[in-house]
Amino acid sequence: MIILVTGTSSGFGLAIRRHLIDKGHKVYGSSRNSDAADPYVLAIDVRDAESVRLAVDKVIEREGRIDVLINNAGMGIGGAAELATPSEVDLQMDTNFLGCVNMCRAVLPYMRSQRKGMIINISSIYALTGGSCEVHYSVTKAGIDGMTKSLAKELGPSNIRVNAVAPGITNTDMV
């Protein structure tokens, strides 16, 4: 399988990528700053649709397809809701939600033409429960859940599966 995982510089993304490589898959990772020594780690700023498109095109050029997209890139800014600045809220929305939208927008034309594929969106338990001092993060993850459910219905007839994983609090660099 050809798999593209966003946000692989640390945390879940790094662990997911390593696990899938160990299982024998060809896995492209991404971070805002790529590791030039690893040709399978691409520089992708998920907030930038052109950055996303260039990276996806590079994988397609090399491999001819993308079988699985794992939207993992994300960030959190904790604290009381009223203390978050507009730029902090925008950064969180652009990274967590719009980044997921940008990745799906870039990969879906290829998956539709293949008539198969899988998208896994990393959400959070906070999408379902909300989180004290995590209002804006919770909203971004709830948006991902809504998008996942809608895409699953839209893409099911095309043999493209879409699911979300909603982990709880986990000891990563983000926490």
Side-chain angles (χ1 to χ4, degrees):
M1 285 190 158
I2 307 301
I3 302 171
L4 174 57
V5 183
T6 64
T8 59
S9 61
S10 65
F12 283 134
L14 181 60
I16 291 166
R17 182 168 183 251
R18 286 179 176 162
H19 175 76
L20 293 170
I21 289 169
D22 288 347
K23 294 294 182 186
H25 300 290
K26 189 175 282 189
V27 184
Y28 285 84
S30 79
S31 70
R32 286 184 306 269
N33 304 304
S34 75
D35 178 358
D38 186 342
Y40 293 100
V41 176
L42 307 170
I44 301 177
D45 181 345
V46 296
R47 301 168 300 169
D48 178 358
E50 181 66 9
S51 166
V52 168
R53 186 191 63 76
L54 291 171
V56 167
D57 287 351
K58 184 178 283 187
V59 175
I60 295 296
E61 181 181 302
R62 288 181 187 173
E63 307 297 339
R65 68 185 202 277
I66 296 174
D67 300 308
V68 179
L69 167 64
I70 302 175
N71 281 310
N72 169 72
M75 53 85 62
I77 299 171
E82 70 276 13
L83 297 180
T85 66
S87 62
E88 288 172 332
V89 173
D90 288 347
L91 175 63
Q92 205 156 197
M93 286 297 295
D94 290 350
T95 303
N96 296 359
F97 179 71
L98 293 177
C100 189
V101 169
N102 287 337
M103 291 303 302
C104 288
R105 184 184 299 127
V107 167
L108 278 174
Y110 298 106
M111 288 185 175
R112 283 185 192 269
S113 69
Q114 296 166 183
R115 295 208 42 83
K116 66 179 179 176
M118 180 186 298
I119 297 172
I120 301 169
N121 296 321
I122 306 301
S123 179
S124 169
I125 193 68
Y126 285 165
L128 305 170
T129 65
S132 176
C133 295
E134 295 288 349
V135 168
H136 307 292
Y137 178 81
S138 299
V139 167
T140 66
K141 296 302 185 172
I144 288 170
D145 280 3
M147 183 176 81
T148 299
K149 291 172 187 172
S150 295
L151 281 175
K153 289 179 180 182
E154 176 183 332
L155 299 170
S158 298
N159 199 31
I160 301 169
R161 294 177 294 166
V162 185
N163 287 291
V165 176
I169 297 172
T170 306
N171 189 13
T172 67
D173 291 342
M174 192 171 101
V175 176

